[in-house]
Amino acid sequence: MVAHAMVHTYELSIPILVPIWLSEFSVIDLGILQFPVNEATLGALVAIGYGLFGLGALPSGVLVDRLDARLLITGCLVGMGTSFLVLAVAPSPAFLGLALAIWGVAASVYHPSGLSLISRGVEERGSGFAYHGMAGNVGIAVGPLLTILLLIAFDWRLVAGVLTIPAVVAATYAIRVDIDERAAVAAADGGDDRTDSGVDSLGEFLATAKTLFASAFVVVFLVTFFSGLYYRGALTFLPELLRDVPALTPVEFGGETFEPGDYLYVGLLMVGVLGQYAGGKLTDRGRPEIGIFAGFGALVVVALLFLPAAAIGLVALLPAAALLGFFLFFVQPFYQASVAEYTPSEARGLSYGFTYLGVFGVGALGAVVAGTMLTYFSAEQLFVVLAALAACASGLGAYLVTRAPSTAVGT
């Protein structure tokens, strides 16, 4: 829970810094090539870090089937702290990209490690995923809020440097924790706590992957694909979009300028705590496939109504933002639990590696899609695209609902 909070503290602090980078930098200089700094190019730059966050999940998933998850999580925390230290001294947009890439590689270790640990070590998985998700949402909300408050008094570079401190503290805690990583598996096996073999070679990796994708797991993977695109597409430029809402005009107080949209963004993320909790609890009471179908169906409606609500004013925008925050995170425990339902425990780390390859790796393209749509099209068209992505995920959930419940790979 501590590590999960830290991962998302950094992840969702980045969008708060995006408007500052848009105003501070004018050119991305790559030597022989130069690009103007705008939503499209900066979205692509940010997508490097977010993409590695997901792409690195696959090798991390292999590692967690072989190594102590606690050590991997500690390394993740150290790497994330290092990345924000580099960010603090970055002299150009190219170095921003480097710092974000370091963050993405380090953060990619977390989800396969943490979720495998829960699925193998916690008997009440749904509740475990719920509390774990809630901790992530605390980081998702507190990280941006802390960043916003620090930016009132300090330059963004100093703020990035200060944000390295929590990672150091969390890593110190993580390396000292003594846990039983296979308690639930051992209990299910009558006390047998042997370590699963995992993947030892490229051939075994390919064979295991083939088995996974020959099963209904492929449908769950596609759900994570669309979920990631929606998540990243909705959140990356949301602070920038909210600054353009007439009802959220900047406020001058005590010689400082406050952006109400930034605080609405944080509030939206805080509501996600309730979504995570509700979704996690419901996975213990019914089939997670139903939650996938209903949750993403709700996100279709939210995407189509969000900007019209913003145009009406705060009376409509506030509930629309709350619903976006709630359902954006409500769906996550359902597909996390579905992975555990459709995969064997010995391939659980690899399964979650593929899952977060979809959520954060392929999903990173959502930042590119959002930046491109905002640069060359419109915010209204962006939200129509987001609605279409959610509709695809909901349709896949409907397909899973029609299947007989199964926990066996290959059925």
Side-chain angles (χ1 to χ4, degrees):
M1 288 173 67
V2 171
H4 194 205
M6 290 308 310
V7 167
H8 292 297
T9 289
Y10 292 114
E11 178 204 1
L12 271 301
S13 294
I14 294 170
I16 296 296
L17 298 173
V18 165
I20 298 174
W21 295 336
L22 282 170
S23 62
E24 179 161 331
F25 299 105
S26 58
V27 177
I28 300 175
D29 189 350
L30 301 179
I32 60 174
L33 296 174
Q34 292 185 334
F35 303 94
V37 172
N38 54 36
E39 286 88 348
T41 56
L42 194 58
L45 196 67
V46 170
I48 294 172
Y50 283 152
L52 290 171
F53 182 24
L55 293 173
L58 189 54
S60 299
V62 175
L63 285 175
V64 77
D65 285 330
R66 306 297 306 165
L67 301 176
D68 186 340
R70 180 176 58 90
L71 294 177
L72 292 172
I73 291 171
T74 302
C76 161
L77 291 166
V78 171
M80 291 192 299
T82 300
S83 71
F84 265 64
L85 191 59
V86 174
L87 190 67
V89 298
S92 67
F95 276 86
L96 293 180
L98 174 62
L100 295 176
I102 295 172
W103 175 83
V105 171
S108 71
V109 174
Y110 177 71
H111 283 92
S113 302
L115 294 173
S116 293
L117 189 154
I118 291 172
S119 70
R120 292 167 172 165
V122 180
E123 292 182 26
E124 295 183 8
R125 280 183 192 145
S127 295
F129 285 132
Y131 290 122
H132 173 263
M134 289 170 67
N137 274 90
V138 169
I140 283 171
V142 171
L145 179 60
L146 177 62
T147 303
I148 291 167
L149 295 177
L150 288 172
L151 286 170
I152 294 173
F154 304 108
D155 178 75
W156 71 268
R157 295 181 185 279
L158 180 58
V159 172
V162 170
L163 289 175
T164 66
I165 297 173
V168 174
V169 175
T172 303
Y173 172 72
I175 197 65
R176 297 169 59 87
V177 174
D178 182 20
I179 56 176
D180 181 356
E181 297 190 16
R182 302 184 59 77
V185 174
D189 292 341
D192 183 0
D193 63 351
R194 344 180 255 282
T195 300
D196 293 324
S197 60
V199 175
D200 291 316
S201 66
L202 177 61
E204 192 172 349
F205 166 81
L206 294 174
T208 303
K210 181 179 179 181
T211 300
L212 287 173
F213 282 94
S215 71
F217 170 74
V218 69
V219 182
V220 180
F221 175 78
L222 289 173
V223 169
T224 68
F225 169 91
F226 289 113
S227 178
L229 289 172
Y230 190 108
Y231 175 88
R232 195 64 70 206
L235 293 183
T236 300
F237 291 97
L238 189 57
E240 180 75 8
L241 287 172
L242 292 175
R243 291 186 179 193
D244 294 331
V245 175
L248 300 173
T249 54
V251 176
E252 297 286 341
F253 182 79
E256 299 288 343
T257 301
F258 295 86
E259 294 284 352
D262 289 349
Y263 296 94
L264 179 59
Y265 173 76
V266 171
L268 177 155
L269 297 175
M270 286 182 174
V271 173
V273 175
L274 300 178
Q276 284 274 9
Y277 180 79
K281 284 298 184 181
L282 287 174
T283 62
D284 283 334
R285 299 183 179 182
R287 295 180 61 192
E289 299 93 331
I290 296 175
I292 291 173
F293 165 67
F296 282 104
L299 284 174
V300 173
V301 177
V302 171
L304 294 176
L305 295 181
F306 188 83
L307 289 181
I312 293 172
L314 284 178
V315 67
L317 176 59
L318 291 178
L323 288 172
L324 177 60
F326 182 89
F327 284 107
L328 195 60
F329 296 96
F330 174 81
V331 297
Q332 293 183 5
F334 293 110
Y335 65 67
Q336 290 167 353
S338 294
V339 173
E341 291 291 326
Y342 287 100
T343 61
S345 64
E346 63 268 19
R348 196 62 49 73
L350 181 59
S351 302
Y352 282 116
F354 277 118
T355 297
Y356 282 89
L357 171 65
V359 173
F360 293 127
V362 178
L365 295 175
V368 179
V369 170
T372 301
M373 294 296 296
L374 292 173
T375 301
Y376 300 107
F377 297 93
S378 68
E380 289 77 10
Q381 289 169 307
L382 167 60
F383 277 84
V384 170
V385 170
L386 294 177
L389 295 171
C392 290
S394 181
L396 292 169
Y399 167 74
L400 289 173
V401 169
T402 65
R403 293 174 46 85
S406 173
T407 58
V409 174
T411 61

